[in-house]
Amino acid sequence: MTEAVSTPASCASCGHAIDGAYCSRCGEEVLDPTKLTLRHFLTRTVVHELFNFDGKIWRTLGLLLFRPGFLALEYAAGRRRAYVNPVRVLLVAIIVYVLAQGGSGFTLGSGGLRLSIAPAPVSPERSISGTFFQTDRFGILERMFVERFGSAESASNELRSRFNRMLNVFSTPLSFTAVFLVALTLYACFHWRRPLLVEHVVFAMHYYSFALLTLLLVMLAFRLNAGRLSMTVMLAVLPVVIIWQIVYLARAIRRIYFAAARSRVASWTVSAVAAPVLYLLNSLFITVLQFAGAAFAITRL
């Protein structure tokens, strides 16, 4: 005879008295020991979240990619339970991006000035001079390194590996904080439209998540080809993705800050101008943060 599972008298999260399957105060589900098995987790939780196309994951992903600014508006309006939390979306996007990244970065510009459009995790086997080339085209970091350790070209494998590990410890995580600098920029420009800083932070997190996920297309194009063709394809796909990101940003700015504007022409004009400016500022933030992280890594070697 199967013994019935007793229902706890109080909620495990808030301590409120409960008499059903869920807490009436905080919504916490009553613990059922039969749901703690690996089989239940794999067959119910994982399968439900991945293959339920009406679930939070796919709904949030579809809106994030194809409805610019919509999720930020939903968050500001208090409609949040139907979507994945923006912090979780950003963390997942960062993890997927870092795991898929091959150690090469995406940059804008040429010659003496290059701006990183996304953080670039560093491969342990990468040369120190190659890292300097991507992070600092003005030679400041190289001069710092030479003063302490001599030529970067003659650095030992152990020193190179240690330097690249330090970069991944400091520089890469630091560069992801550019999302908050973007939020502060949005707040400075549009606080007269939306006075709460958290609304700008949520918008920045959603846009940053979108940007990282769309760059996966470039990585995919790079891996599907080999040799010279891979670089040719990547150089063809990257501008398309960058244009998509800027257009997405313009539409999101217009939807979030100027949806109620009287003049559609004026609102679209402001949004179209603000988007590439903000895009360049974001690239500048990432580049400066990567430089600061690399400089700090040199001092800690």
Side-chain angles (χ1 to χ4, degrees), residues 239-263:
V240 174
V241 171
I242 291 175
I243 292 173
W244 183 16
Q245 291 175 348
I246 294 175
V247 172
Y248 179 100
L249 188 54
R251 293 184 62 189
I253 290 173
R254 202 272 175 182
R255 171 173 279 161
I256 293 174
Y257 300 113
F258 300 103
R262 294 181 179 179
S263 173

Side-chain angles (χ1 to χ4, degrees), residues 12-31:
S13 293
C14 68
H16 185 68
I18 54 177
D19 56 3
Y22 297 91
C23 175
S24 60
R25 174 183 289 175
C26 69
E28 180 70 80
E29 185 177 7
V30 174
L31 177 64

Side-chain angles (χ1 to χ4, degrees), residues 46 54 71 102 111 125 132 140 142 148 155 221 223 241 245 266 270:
V46 174
D54 291 327
L71 289 174
E125 293 77 26
F132 288 156
I140 300 174
E142 186 170 8
R148 292 173 58 88
R223 285 167 171 73
V241 171
Q245 291 175 348
V270 173

